[in-house]
Amino acid sequence: MLQKIGLSIVLTASVVSAAEAQTKLVEKVTKKSDELVIPYEKYKLANGLTLIVHEDHSDPVVHVDVTYHVGSAREEVGKSGFAHFFEHMMFQGSDNVADEEHFKIVSDAGGTLNGTTNRDRTNYFETVPSNQLETALWLEADRMGFLLDAVTQKKFEVQRETVKNERGQNYDNRPYGLVYEKTSQHLYPHGHPYSWTTIGYIEDLNRVNVEDLKNFFLRWYGPNNATVTVGGDVNPAEVVKLVEKYFGSIPVGPAVEDMKPMATALDKDRYISYEDNVRFPMLRMTFPVPEAGHKDEHALDVLAEILGQGKNSIFYKNFVKDQKALQASASNSTSELAGEFGITVMTYPNNNLAQMEEMLRKSIAEFETRGVTDEDLQRYKASAESSLVNRMASVSGKVSQLAAYETFRNNPNYLQEEIRRINAVTKADVMRVYNQYIKGKSAVILSVVPKGKSEMIAKADNYTVDTNTSVAQPQEYSGLAYTKAVDTFDRSKRPVSGQAKAVSVPNFYTSKFKNGMKVIGTKSDEIPTVTLQLTIPGGHRLLANNPSKAGIASLTASLLNEDTENYTSEAFTSELDKLGSSIRIGSGTEDTYVTVQSLKKNLDKTLVLLEERLFRPKFAQDDFERLKKQQLEGIANQSTQPTAIASSVYNKLLYGDNHIMAIPTSGTTESVSSITLDDVKQFYTANYTPTGAELVIVGDINEKDVISKLDFLKKWKKKNVTVPADVKAPAIAATKIYFVDKPDAAQSEIRIGYVALPYDATGEYYKTSLMNFVLGGAFNSRINLNLREDKGYTYGARSGFGGSRFAGPYTASAGVRADATAASVVEFMKEINDFRTKGITEEELQFMKNSIGQSDARQYETPGQKANFLGRILRYDLKKDYVSKQTQILNNMTKQEIDALAAKHLPADKMHIVVVGDKKTVLPELQKLSYEVVELDTNGNPVGTSSVK
């Protein structure tokens, strides 16, 4: 139900005091019956700021989002990456918030925060206990109106290095990391706002100075180009007053007009290619299509689903099912100015991409004879409905949706229109968009091939970007002035927190079936969904006494997602999609897990499918051969991934050659090669058991009703399965550096640690997690502030304890700049040693208590969070009051206790240090450190030793 209110605002002054701010209610939307609506009130302040408030008292939390309608599309040629760079700078302090204080204040309040940038917008957000609302608004307003004097050259340089590290980690040093950048360069004409990516180019980052950045802020970050959205346990009238107080006096910025769609067209297929450090050749074909919100958007979504999404797609049938490729997919990706219809095939090693292109074109043409069915539309519409419902599981999800709709549709209530458009798609629409945008149309066709294998590309490059002509529309940056707000209160004073509301853990019921299955559940009626998580004990650790078959737990779980006795895999997937449901089976270190999600109205039909999948697998030979091949290829691919190499070698050192944890859950080439289909059948028969299994139920259904639907689980025959006992990890005599060469790696991966403790909720393990919080467990931890914020060596560094039922490792880790590898090792060890010998400060102790103690409000909001909480109770046989006991431990923790824990559990002289990086750059510097250096190959085997003391 929508109430429209007239709006007329005239801005006559550059500075508007809070007292003069004339805030107008624009509209109010309420929920009627069961319609899919996010209720809200929308206001407009005199300085142009839009405010949206969503009231939801289901949990004592509030989510604050500030979205600026500026992304990389507002940048200029030669000055790319500004919007993303500024996202980083906005966390570096303002007039009334000290450097590195923003994260600390939010963490201290028990909250979490972040910011993201894309082509079209930048957003900053906090989720905090509701009594911390004013603090969150004060912080956001201070960086909107009082930022620039705090932007120093030093901060600028450090964050420039951090952004370079982010680019190295996520683009330059990641397999296929440049695909999007290469495609954008060649799909759009030179100067088009989408012809570069959000991260920008290194040369542009090197070129800009702090004044360029300040001008970018002044041009785009005014209140009139921003939407503040607040949702959660709030009173709208109070929110309006607080927003008026903190934002109302910020001067209006330069006028900003929405950008118009800038469609692009290609006169011929543009072939481009590059070599990468990859195992699997990849072909990506990208067609230009209309922008987000266009009338054809959802029809193109359906086309993408039919061509290349899920097991009923044409590409899955022709490429994956027939073992021609590892992956084949299609997607319709839309942004504010234009859209891209992307088709990707990742094929097996040594397959020529010219053949893949030929197959791809035949598969696309197959759509013409296949056509669109009623079932296609039914699947798409059901899945879309389910997706929209699940977005509302959290306050942050609802707030983000409102903010996005306001920013790009000028209508926070666009959800209703979205649903209407989804349901209006017809078969004729899908055929029409195929003919209009895909059939016979030109595309950018990118080949990515392994280094030294240029002969594998689809076709010789035939297009070079013409930089002599440009469609760029230069932005106006003249006459900008930094004018601060005039206030009637002291902004330098941090708001006093309101009274914290008591947080109650979810009420839950427990049960135990006669076959030994344990059940725990809670009713949650915020959204009409039901989530089930079934955990079957064992997993990878079942192979401890038979490591020659390692990887079989993973392979067995994969096969259970394929054909059943009564359904082909494709038919099974189709039935799920028509319900908007999902059933996923996977296997990890200690368990096999089954995750079920369903709309409440479709739960009965979903449970029928669960019974089929769990108890009637077909174990078809062709499925087995295909999945085994994929698993073997995945294992071989690990040797190309620095992060995977680091983790694998690290685990081998931690646990020793004969320990099951030294072998990845996917197994080894040798172990997986030896697995037969009979092995899988025997593993399933012997180890899939209800005895000791744990079922977690969270959803809009009561205990009696849901238990009555689970007879098929109650009838599961009892079977005792013994998980092999743990083997103690080998002792570490002295700290050494173990180095693995990854030629030409732009970054190095570092892992430091040892095997520590098993999990416990209220004992030594819990206390060590408290101890580690300020060392490496928070953004404002010593390790991250040193390596990221102070030195600019990394995009992020951390440490933590990883125990479960079994003893798990303490690990400090980061991906760092290659030329800063040795220095990073030094800083890691310095921070660990200092904390071990000198301990925590009283200020850090209080920060830890505040941050962890007040975060309870965020722990039980979504179905997933509730399920994790309940699952932990079952797994570790915890009492309901364990949370209150943790709170007592936290509140009573002393500096002396933390210091003693640090001295005991941070044995800096008995840890493994693993470094994976470029030998010629990194090794000589590592050898100058005061540790023995041992060279290993990618499998963790010695290739030589060297030592410099």
Side-chain angles (χ1 to χ4, degrees), residues 42 70 131 161 186 218 237 248 264 283 357 377 394 545 547 582 584 626 667 671 699 712 726 751 760 841 871 942 949:
K42 176 180 173 181
V70 56
N131 66 313
E161 290 305 308
H186 295 84
L218 289 172
T264 187
L283 186 73
E357 183 190 356
L377 294 180
S394 66
N545 297 332
S582 65
R584 300 183 184 91
R626 184 182 74 256
S671 67
F712 68 100
D726 200 15
R751 305 287 186 274
D760 68 63
T841 67
K949 293 293 183 186

Side-chain angles (χ1 to χ4, degrees), residues 841-903:
T841 67
E842 290 291 349
E843 182 184 1
E844 288 173 328
L845 178 64
Q846 192 57 51
F847 168 69
M848 180 268 290
K849 289 184 176 184
N850 292 346
S851 183
I852 296 175
Q854 297 187 85
S855 66
D856 269 0
R858 297 186 289 108
Q859 300 305 308
Y860 320 110
E861 186 187 6
T862 68
Q865 288 174 315
K866 290 182 174 76
N868 289 337
F869 167 72
L870 297 179
R872 194 176 306 118
I873 288 176
L874 270 195
R875 169 151 302 191
Y876 298 105
D877 194 24
L878 303 175
K879 304 295 184 185
K880 184 177 181 179
D881 67 349
Y882 90 88
V883 174
S884 62
K885 289 183 178 178
Q886 286 184 334
T887 302
Q888 287 179 346
I889 293 169
L890 173 69
N891 292 337
N892 294 328
M893 187 66 72
T894 64
K895 171 177 165 52
Q896 289 72 27
E897 285 181 275
I898 292 288
D899 292 352
L901 288 165

Side-chain angles (χ1 to χ4, degrees), residues 15 38 185 198 252 270 273 279 350 360 496 563 574 678 750 789 791 805 853 859 873 942:
V15 178
I38 308 173
Q185 287 172 347
T198 305
V252 64
R270 297 176 179 178
S273 64
R279 176 175 173 81
N350 302 317
L360 198 56
V496 177
D563 292 357
S574 180
D678 282 341
I750 297 174
E789 297 298 298
K791 302 291 193 310
R805 290 191 184 104
Q859 300 305 308
I873 288 176

Side-chain angles (χ1 to χ4, degrees), residues 536-542 553 587-592 683 721 723 805:
I536 302 168
H540 184 56
R541 280 188 176 267
L542 289 169
S587 182
T589 302
E590 299 173 22
D591 310 283
T592 291
F683 183 86
V721 176
V723 179
R805 290 191 184 104

Side-chain angles (χ1 to χ4, degrees), residues 251-519:
V252 64
V256 177
E257 295 184 2
D258 287 350
M259 299 179 75
K260 304 298 182 187
M262 295 178 65
T264 187
L266 308 179
D267 56 357
K268 64 175 182 178
D269 286 328
R270 297 176 179 178
Y271 286 89
I272 57 174
S273 64
Y274 77 97
E275 297 179 17
D276 199 359
N277 184 28
V278 297
R279 176 175 173 81
F280 309 116
M282 188 179 94
L283 186 73
R284 180 166 176 82
M285 185 180 290
T286 306
F287 297 86
V289 293
E291 72 283 355
H294 190 276
K295 66 181 179 64
D296 292 339
E297 181 178 14
H298 291 294
L300 283 163
D301 288 342
V302 177
L303 176 62
E305 191 169 285
I306 294 170
L307 285 176
Q309 292 178 19
K311 292 181 177 179
N312 287 287
S313 68
I314 294 171
F315 294 168
Y316 181 82
K317 172 177 68 73
N318 293 350
F319 288 91
V320 180
K321 191 83 169 179
D322 285 353
Q323 299 190 44
K324 298 294 194 302
L326 272 169
Q327 300 171 18
S329 63
S331 63
N332 180 46
S333 175
T334 57
S335 300
E336 187 175 15
L337 308 183
E340 299 164 16
F341 194 95
I343 294 171
T344 303
V345 175
M346 188 178 293
T347 188
Y348 289 104
N350 302 317
N351 280 4
N352 192 290
L353 290 179
Q355 296 173 330
M356 290 298 107
E357 183 190 356
E358 184 180 354
M359 277 190 62
L360 198 56
R361 291 189 181 280
K362 288 180 180 177
S363 296
I364 294 171
E366 185 180 321
F367 169 75
E368 296 182 47
T369 54
R370 177 198 182 279
V372 186
T373 67
D374 290 332
E375 199 171 72
D376 292 329
L377 294 180
Q378 185 183 352
R379 285 198 302 263
Y380 173 75
K381 293 173 183 180
S383 296
E385 178 192 1
S386 179
S387 175
L388 288 170
V389 169
N390 282 305
R391 285 186 210 173
M392 300 184 191
S394 66
V395 167
S396 63
K398 289 183 282 188
V399 164
S400 298
Q401 192 69 75
L402 290 169
Y405 281 151
E406 170 61 26
T407 301
F408 297 118
R409 301 289 172 268
N410 297 311
N411 177 14
N413 196 36
Y414 190 77
L415 181 62
Q416 293 296 303
E417 174 66 11
E418 190 98 63
I419 294 168
R420 187 194 69 75
R421 289 187 174 211
I422 288 169
N423 289 326
V425 176
T426 66
K427 290 185 281 188
D429 289 332
V430 182
M431 293 302 299
R432 176 179 54 78
V433 297
Y434 167 75
N435 287 307
Q436 185 172 348
Y437 302 111
I438 308 300
K439 182 181 179 180
K441 300 300 187 289
S442 299
V444 170
I445 303 167
L446 169 66
S447 299
V448 184
V449 297
K451 289 188 176 180
K453 298 287 186 71
S454 60
E455 70 278 4
M456 297 177 68
I457 66 173
K459 193 175 288 187
D461 293 13
N462 70 349
Y463 182 80
T464 303
V465 177
D466 182 2
T467 58
N468 294 316
T469 60
S470 177
V471 298
Q473 300 172 352
Q475 305 290 356
E476 179 58 58
Y477 286 95
S478 62
L480 298 174
Y482 182 31
T483 307
K484 294 185 183 181
V486 176
D487 291 308
T488 57
F489 67 99
D490 185 358
R491 283 185 186 264
S492 67
K493 293 182 179 178
R494 176 179 169 181
V496 177
S497 301
Q499 180 65 42
K501 292 189 177 181
V503 180
S504 300
V505 301
N507 287 319
F508 58 85
Y509 53 85
T510 58
S511 181
K512 188 171 183 178
F513 298 160
K514 291 180 180 179
N515 57 14
M517 181 180 291
K518 296 178 285 186
V519 181

